[in-house]
Amino acid sequence: MTTTFIKSSETLEQCPTDGRPEYAFIGRSNVGKSSLINMLTNNAKLSKVSSKPGKTKLINHFLADETWYLVDLPGYGFAKQSKTEREKFGKMISRYIAQREELTLLFVLLDIRLEPQKIDLEFIQKLGEEGVPFALVFTKADKISASAQLANVERYKKNLLETWEELPQIFVTSAEKKIGGEEIRNYIKHINEQLS
Ligand code: GTP
Ligand code: MG
């Protein structure tokens, strides 16, 4: 995959207007969105990564194979941000999700170590209500054992099945150990083929 950074946008109006399909990455600050994009594109320097939450502050478009976009978004739920800042990012994200017609699929990232978090469950619930297509990506799998990974994913599925009839597509990844990238790339490829 060849990928090029196209632009950073503060508003929907500034986003690219060529109509190419987009795959966006969302989740709490520090969950590993930018790291996942770098893993998927085999480019460690494509999107800026930081151990401090709140690194990505704009809507970042990366063009892949000159045909589709990867979109890195700011995280949600960063407690140390000021209320005004949190609201600003919240609005940016919710407008993008609700109104961006090019948005083909949203990858919602979840830290595999954590039990289901209210903020993520509410976010997923909202996607369901708005009819936004999404998949779940567990991140940082290298931080726990294989059996704990399995148990935590099962716990999440069980939780989702309390409100959902069907489970979304689920991926388990590690940007650190480069796990799960091929599956996500194939999934995107498959959807792109259906679009064309
Ligand atoms: P914001 O832009 O602030 O919302 O964060 P983000 O979701 O883009 O997270 P980012 O990719 O910047 O990663 C946050 C921290 O988690 C960095 O220190 C990464 O090195 C680390 N990290 C990300 N993915 C993994 C992973 O799979 N394994 C491990 N061990 N660390 C990871
Ligand atoms: Mg980021």
Side-chain angles (χ1 to χ4, degrees):
M1 194 195 296
T2 50
T3 342
T4 349
F5 168 71
I6 300 296
K7 71 185 295 195
S8 297
S9 312
E10 201 168 2
T11 65
L12 215 51
E13 288 71 25
Q14 292 166 359
C15 290
T17 53
D18 54 22
R20 290 187 172 101
E22 338 198 301
Y23 296 82
F25 297 80
I26 189 76
R28 291 167 75 194
S29 286
N30 213 43
V31 71
K33 299 174 291 296
S34 302
S35 304
L36 182 73
I37 287 178
N38 292 346
M39 173 179 76
L40 289 173
T41 57
N42 274 317
N43 185 344
K45 289 184 187 147
L46 192 65
S47 196
K48 288 198 184 70
V49 166
S50 168
S51 58
K52 289 199 201 99
K55 181 71 181 174
T56 308
K57 294 188 193 301
L58 296 163
I59 303 168
N60 298 291
H61 278 79
F62 304 97
L63 185 59
D65 292 336
E66 301 197 5
T67 47
W68 56 280
Y69 287 107
L70 292 130
V71 182
D72 197 6
L73 296 168
Y76 54 71
F78 177 30
K80 281 189 185 148
Q81 260 165 351
S82 70
K83 189 161 172 265
T84 345
E85 261 207 313
R86 251 204 321 274
E87 280 170 1
K88 186 177 117 190
F89 290 123
K91 269 191 200 138
M92 196 196 275
I93 296 167
S94 48
R95 263 198 87 209
Y96 173 84
I97 292 170
Q99 297 178 30
R100 181 74 172 160
E101 286 185 18
E102 290 84 346
L103 178 61
T104 305
L105 188 93
L106 190 62
F107 288 98
V108 179
L109 276 62
L110 303 162
D111 187 324
I112 199 163
R113 295 170 294 179
L114 306 179
E115 59 183 73
Q117 304 284 301
K118 191 163 173 261
I119 188 165
D120 297 315
L121 294 169
E122 284 175 358
F123 183 81
I124 292 168
Q125 193 61 38
K126 210 166 134 241
L127 294 178
E129 284 160 16
E130 293 179 8
V132 179
F134 69 93
L136 298 181
V137 179
F138 289 96
T139 63
K140 310 193 182 184
D142 57 281
K143 298 246 192 194
I144 55 173
S145 71
S147 60
Q149 290 172 27
L150 211 64
N152 289 2
V153 172
E154 282 311 312
R155 176 174 62 182
Y156 223 101
K157 284 185 183 168
K158 220 175 133 196
N159 188 307
L160 290 174
L161 287 172
E162 287 170 17
T163 41
W164 295 76
E165 264 176 45
E166 264 180 89
L167 289 172
Q169 190 75 33
I170 292 175
F171 300 95
V172 174
T173 67
S174 163
E176 182 77 25
K177 294 265 189 288
K178 304 220 187 305
I179 294 167
E182 198 58 34
E183 286 80 0
I184 295 180
R185 281 191 298 266
N186 285 338
Y187 187 61
I188 293 174
K189 192 168 163 234
H190 179 73
I191 299 175
N192 279 335
E193 281 165 1
Q194 289 178 329
L195 293 176
S196 59

